[in-house]
Amino acid sequence: MNLNDKRSKIDAIDDAIFELLNERLAIVSEIGKEKLKAGASIYRPEREKEIIDRLAQKGSQYLNTPAIEAIYQEIFAISRNLELPERVAYLGPLGSYTHQAAEERFGAMSMYLPMTNIQSVFKAVQLGRAKYGVVPLENNTNGMVGDTIDLLANCELKIIAEIILPIHHSFVSDCERLEMIERIYSKDIAFGQCNAFIESHHLQDITRIPVDSTAKAAQLAKQVPNSAAICSKIAGKLYHLPVMFDNIEDSSKNKTRFVIISDFANLPSGKDKTSVFAHLKDFEKSGTLLALLKDFSQRGINLTKIDSRPIKSKSDFSFGFYIDFEGHRDDPHIKELFEAYPNEIKWLGSYVKTDE
């Protein structure tokens, strides 16, 4: 088979894929109409996981699970927008890492609302201005995001999905050569995460200007001549800045966990995680926390995270605990736990567990 024959065969396969996608979307459109009549949610993370897992089990020489997920996340995003275009609020600005996380899950076609702070993201979903909100929950270097935990503990919105995003920094500039650069914009923490790159490329004597966000850094680097920015790849793309160097961070293990919040609950997927906030009335009393942990253990519930959080009351400070564990709220042994602590444990959501 010569090259032209191979290309003709690829064209025929592409035509078949196109027709099958049209057929798939026609069915999705019908399902969407039924969901709208029933008032059901369009986004079902557990169903998306079921599809990806089923396809991954087929085995392929060329398509591993991440490749399948990358392809189908775009198909899912197009399908959701076909069923019902819904707004996604996220911690902005445009080009932030939260923006990147939101686009990875909801695709480029969704309508996005950048918000100035985490509280505004929650408010947008609570008031119906957005169906979903995307906010950071924790970073493996800098720890938990207190504002997100506090808001989850004090509202009725639930975590419906999580996104684990490796944090990669890019060095972007309109300059053709490093010698032309006179200043570098970025966030303080991003400068600190890229020290080895800065030193190895002899940039330590270049003026470094800290700004509020890496997205703002990219915007300034575009506006001010002879400038560069350390920012996300999506920020460089947004402001049309060529990437001079990619993945310049000192540690390749830097990851941020984002959560998607909304006003509905997920069905069990078989591979779930549940998040709760425990406020123990008699925490100061010796053994109170230990008793709670024993109750988890006796029911065979595997804890994956526990983090203390101060609770400010009118009189004094007390402490609560953000806890992640494996399983779904509807699992019988987990139901028992909630029944044992009806007032002390607040359910924050059960959702598909992401492989890190």
Side-chain angles (χ1 to χ4, degrees):
M1 187 184 292
N2 61 34
L3 181 59
N4 286 333
D5 290 338
K6 291 176 181 177
R7 285 176 173 169
S8 295
K9 191 168 184 179
I10 288 173
D11 288 344
I13 293 170
D14 285 339
D15 288 344
I17 292 172
F18 183 80
E19 293 302 324
L20 287 170
L21 281 173
N22 268 317
E23 187 177 338
R24 185 187 198 281
L25 292 172
I27 298 171
V28 164
S29 179
E30 291 300 316
I31 293 173
K33 291 174 184 176
E34 294 172 8
K35 285 183 177 179
L36 285 175
K37 287 180 183 178
S41 173
I42 299 297
Y43 181 39
R44 303 307 313 191
E46 71 279 3
R47 171 60 179 155
E48 294 181 2
K49 179 185 181 299
E50 178 188 323
I51 292 170
I52 291 170
D53 287 349
R54 178 175 58 79
L55 294 173
Q57 288 173 5
K58 287 178 174 292
S60 169
Q61 181 181 350
Y62 306 103
L63 296 173
N64 58 16
T65 300
I68 294 169
E69 191 165 356
I71 293 167
Y72 272 82
Q73 285 294 355
E74 287 301 320
I75 294 174
F76 296 150
I78 293 167
S79 299
R80 284 194 296 268
N81 280 278
L82 179 66
E83 293 179 67
L84 179 65
E86 291 179 324
R87 289 184 175 87
V88 180
Y90 68 91
L91 178 63
L94 285 168
S96 66
Y97 286 103
T98 314
H99 181 195
Q100 185 171 323
E103 277 211 0
E104 283 202 7
R105 184 56 54 92
F106 290 100
M109 293 177 61
S110 292
M111 294 180 286
Y112 292 98
L113 297 176
M115 311 305 290
T116 55
N117 54 55
I118 293 172
Q119 184 175 7
S120 297
V121 176
F122 276 76
K123 188 66 72 176
V125 180
Q126 287 173 321
L127 296 177
R129 296 172 187 155
K131 180 63 177 177
Y132 310 104
V134 182
V135 291
L137 180 67
E138 65 173 315
N139 178 271
N140 62 351
T141 301
N142 301 310
M144 303 296 290
V145 180
D147 286 350
T148 299
I149 296 174
D150 292 345
L151 287 160
L152 283 168
N154 290 286
C155 79
E156 294 309 310
L157 297 178
K158 303 301 178 192
I159 300 171
I160 61 163
E162 65 178 357
I163 307 163
I164 310 296
L165 184 71
I167 302 300
H168 296 304
H169 296 305
S170 298
F171 190 83
V172 302
S173 178
D174 272 332
C175 296
E176 294 183 5
R177 302 186 309 276
L178 283 176
E179 303 82 58
M180 299 170 62
I181 296 171
E182 297 174 357
R183 65 194 64 79
I184 305 170
Y185 295 99
S186 196
K187 199 171 180 179
D188 270 340
I189 191 170
F191 280 127
Q193 292 171 344
C194 301
N195 276 326
F197 167 82
I198 291 170
E199 291 179 6
S200 64
H201 288 78
H202 307 291
L203 299 171
Q204 60 267 38
D205 295 327
I206 302 294
T207 301
R208 281 177 257 178
I209 304 172
V211 292
D212 291 340
S213 70
T214 55
K216 180 68 173 178
Q219 183 182 8
L220 290 169
K222 187 67 178 180
Q223 293 172 347
V224 182
N226 300 103
S227 299
I230 293 174
C231 61
S232 66
K233 189 178 288 186
I234 195 173
K237 181 180 177 182
L238 184 67
Y239 292 103
H240 308 289
L241 284 163
V243 175
M244 297 183 76
F245 301 94
D246 209 358
N247 299 348
I248 64 170
E249 62 279 356
D250 294 347
S251 171
S252 60
K253 297 179 180 179
N254 187 13
K255 295 179 181 180
T256 295
R257 177 184 171 203
F258 299 88
V259 290
I260 302 173
I261 56 170
S262 195
D263 57 358
F264 64 93
N266 293 319
L267 296 173
S269 73
K271 188 183 178 183
D272 297 299
K273 177 190 289 185
T274 291
S275 298
V276 300
F277 191 81
H279 186 194
L280 306 178
K281 295 177 183 176
D282 300 320
F283 173 64
E284 292 80 7
K285 185 179 176 181
S286 177
T288 304
L289 177 59
L290 179 59
L292 174 64
L293 297 180
K294 280 184 177 179
D295 279 338
F296 276 100
S297 178
Q298 288 170 357
R299 290 175 172 82
I301 301 172
N302 183 36
L303 271 63
T304 58
K305 173 172 284 296
I306 180 166
D307 198 89
S308 64
R309 180 72 187 157
I311 301 171
K312 189 176 182 180
S313 63
K314 292 181 180 179
S315 57
D316 202 353
F317 280 98
S318 59
F319 280 85
F321 296 89
Y322 172 89
I323 303 172
D324 286 334
F325 53 88
E326 293 179 352
H328 192 280
R329 186 194 187 192
D330 291 342
D331 296 342
H333 61 304
I334 293 174
K335 274 186 177 180
E336 289 179 5
L337 182 77
F338 282 102
E339 290 168 0
Y341 294 89
N343 301 315
E344 292 84 5
I345 295 181
K346 183 179 188 296
W347 178 54
L348 305 183
S350 296
Y351 45 94
V352 175
K353 181 181 178 183
T354 300
D355 295 324
E356 297 188 36

